[in-house]
Amino acid sequence: MTFVNITALTFPDGAQEEIERRFAARSRRVDASEGFEGFELLRPVTGEDRYFVVTRWATREHYETWRASRGEGGHEEDTRRGMSVAPMGFEVVQHDEP
């Protein structure tokens, strides 16, 4: 069953350009991970002030394996700069395409 991880990014005012620049320059190592199906960075427009990072995986196990391979931490500098991350996981129970 497809697994979707959504990470909400909270950031200080004025950091929007930095967030988009950093994701545009991302290393893309995740793209080669087994079970990885896609990535999206969502910019807030209405009803929300956080960015959302959306990744799709063939299974939750694929996501968990990739996550474990990254080790702990990785966001200490962002935390010091007033940014925070909040990951959320979902299983896709229905998916329709035109």
Side-chain angles (χ1 to χ4, degrees):
M1 180 175 293
T2 297
F3 180 78
V4 176
N5 184 75
I6 301 174
T7 301
L9 303 177
T10 303
F11 54 90
D13 287 337
Q16 295 88 335
E17 285 184 28
E18 177 185 355
I19 289 171
E20 292 183 27
R21 180 179 42 78
R22 286 171 61 181
F23 276 96
R26 70 188 181 89
S27 67
R28 301 187 185 278
R29 285 185 300 219
V30 68
D31 297 18
S33 298
E34 184 178 352
F36 178 77
E37 295 180 346
F39 166 90
E40 293 177 301
L41 176 64
L42 306 180
R43 177 191 299 139
V45 177
T46 60
E48 184 60 63
D49 60 358
R50 299 175 293 176
Y51 276 79
F52 288 91
V53 179
V54 179
T55 56
R56 292 181 159 272
W57 300 85
T59 67
R60 181 177 180 179
E61 291 74 23
H62 285 108
Y63 167 75
E64 294 292 346
T65 299
W66 170 78
R67 191 168 134 292
S69 74
R70 296 182 62 215
E72 293 300 318
H75 292 288
E76 293 85 6
E77 178 64 24
D78 293 337
T79 301
R80 284 192 291 273
R81 297 173 69 204
M83 297 182 190
S84 67
V85 298
M88 301 169 274
F90 303 87
E91 289 184 339
V92 176
V93 294
Q94 182 174 344
H95 178 82
D96 296 326
E97 292 188 24

